[in-house]
Amino acid sequence: DLEGRILRAIGDPEKRFKEDALRLLRAVRFTANLGFHLDLATGTAVKNQARLIRKVSHERVRDELTLTLTGPRPAQALRLLSELGLLHHLLPEIEALADVPQPTQLDPTSNAWDTTLKVLQVLSDDRERIPEELGWAALLHGVGKPEAWKRSRQESLNGHEIVGADLAASICRQFKLSRAQTETVSQLVSEQLRFKDVFQMREATLVRWLQAEHFPLLLRLHRALSLATDGNLAPYEFCRTRFLQLGVSGPAQTPKLIDGNDLIQLGFQPGRQFSQILEAVEDLAIEGKLRTKESALEFVIRHFAK
């Protein structure tokens, strides 16, 4: 079997899967990751016992799915999960993508399911390690499309990333991803379309975004989405160039010319306006329009003092 690159359950596959239903997912992961073929009898047994995966703890399922999504062939694995009936029991929201048309220049008959497979394929083709959050975001990036398609009466997918961010967070919580991972995946899903506005984006807004901790993962997701759909890499190249120019390696590091104590000394009362004033000053500092504490205080007095 190893020489023939075949994955086969030992003995009776029906019994093996009843002993531990997590083997249903492992059969898929091993087959895809190793580039093997699944033995016919073993594959049939997976289909017959697919419903048993519902009895496995979410934590164990999460670990298997994570290894699958970050492995060398996640697109093949996802396709196999669907063909064997496992995806229906685990993530029916992903299977629903097949009902949402998403034509591309290369394939006018393509749907959102095809796009998800292509995104995973592009990420694995890069031969670069796929972080867990990126793998899950690639899987869930389009999860809001069926609902958006339904709401617009099958006319557009506008707003799918907003719906998708909430659904992605819910799915991450279901599979017991950590709070930090859940937040990152949700951010990646919600911000995937911001790249279309980068050429009109205010400088301070752009810099803040480029300095976000999750931006490197978002950049990789956007590139995969672009190559999977329209092939337009102009926003990616622009953001990548600016990102490298900034030399960003972590959370935002922006000039801080004044703070809340300075505002109190000017007579302002602590409250919502504090953050508005400080953010406005910080934006101008990022853009190089304010360079000293004195100029910042003068700006505040001129524009916010009554």
Side-chain angles (χ1 to χ4, degrees):
D1 283 351
L2 287 174
E3 291 176 358
R5 302 183 70 80
I6 297 171
L7 190 85
R8 188 195 315 270
I10 297 174
D12 185 346
E14 301 277 351
K15 291 183 179 178
R16 297 293 83 78
F17 295 133
K18 288 180 180 177
E19 289 169 355
D20 183 359
L22 189 66
R23 290 172 179 164
L24 295 163
L25 289 184
R26 286 183 174 159
V28 171
R29 177 165 67 88
F30 293 162
T31 299
N33 285 6
L34 296 171
F36 279 23
H37 300 287
L38 188 60
D39 166 64
L40 180 59
T42 303
T44 299
V46 172
K47 287 184 178 180
N48 293 340
Q49 305 293 341
R51 67 188 182 282
L52 294 180
I53 199 61
R54 293 176 176 269
K55 298 183 178 181
V56 181
S57 72
H58 285 115
E59 290 87 348
R60 297 183 75 204
V61 170
R62 173 203 62 208
D63 291 344
E64 279 299 316
L65 288 178
T66 297
L67 289 170
T68 299
L69 293 169
T70 59
R73 298 176 182 85
Q76 292 90 323
L78 184 60
R79 188 180 289 110
L80 195 55
L81 283 172
S82 180
E83 292 172 355
L84 295 176
L86 289 165
L87 196 61
H88 171 74
H89 294 287
L90 293 173
L91 287 164
E93 302 92 341
I94 301 301
E95 280 211 326
L97 296 175
D99 299 325
V100 181
Q102 191 173 9
T104 66
Q105 294 178 348
L106 296 178
D107 185 2
T109 65
S110 179
N111 56 47
W113 163 258
D114 298 325
T115 299
T116 298
L117 291 173
K118 290 175 185 175
V119 168
L120 289 168
Q121 185 67 54
V122 171
L123 288 175
S124 61
D125 285 346
D126 288 341
R127 302 296 181 184
E128 185 177 353
R129 187 184 74 85
I130 302 174
E132 294 181 10
E133 296 87 348
L134 181 58
W136 279 92
L139 173 69
L140 301 174
H141 83 272
V143 73
K145 291 176 181 177
E147 181 62 25
W149 185 245
K150 186 190 307 181
R151 289 182 183 181
S152 67
R153 298 185 179 180
Q154 300 185 351
E155 292 180 358
S156 75
L157 297 177
N158 291 341
H160 79 81
E161 73 281 8
I162 306 302
V163 178
D166 290 338
L167 282 173
S170 176
I171 290 170
C172 287
R173 288 192 292 268
Q174 174 189 340
F175 286 104
K176 311 297 183 182
L177 272 72
S178 71
R179 182 177 299 179
Q181 287 179 316
T182 298
E183 182 178 348
T184 298
V185 172
S186 181
Q187 285 177 314
L188 295 178
V189 173
S190 68
E191 296 180 20
Q192 59 183 294
L193 298 183
R194 289 191 70 185
F195 287 87
K196 62 183 176 59
D197 299 321
V198 293
F199 297 114
Q200 294 79 40
M201 197 174 284
R202 179 178 175 178
E203 177 68 11
T205 303
L206 176 63
V207 170
R208 286 179 185 276
W209 191 39
L210 295 176
Q211 291 179 323
E213 190 172 2
H214 66 278
F215 187 80
L217 297 182
L218 185 62
L219 191 62
R220 288 181 63 183
L221 178 62
H222 171 68
R223 178 180 178 275
L225 279 166
S226 297
L227 292 176
T229 52
D230 59 9
N232 179 15
L233 290 176
Y236 165 79
E237 295 294 352
F238 172 77
C239 289
R240 180 176 178 273
T241 299
R242 291 299 311 276
F243 178 80
L244 294 175
Q245 288 173 344
L246 288 170
V248 176
S249 59
Q253 299 294 328
T254 54
K256 189 173 183 179
L257 301 178
I258 61 174
D259 58 23
N261 291 326
D262 296 310
L263 296 184
I264 291 175
Q265 290 180 13
L266 289 177
F268 291 93
Q269 296 297 320
R272 182 180 301 177
Q273 191 184 29
F274 258 44
S275 60
Q276 295 174 343
I277 295 174
L278 293 175
E279 184 172 335
V281 170
E282 192 174 74
D283 285 348
L284 293 172
I286 290 173
E287 295 170 354
K289 297 175 181 177
L290 293 176
R291 299 181 182 277
T292 65
K293 181 173 183 176
E294 291 71 22
S295 64
L297 293 173
E298 183 181 343
F299 167 80
V300 173
I301 293 171
R302 188 184 316 121
H303 291 87
F304 294 97
K306 296 181 180 179

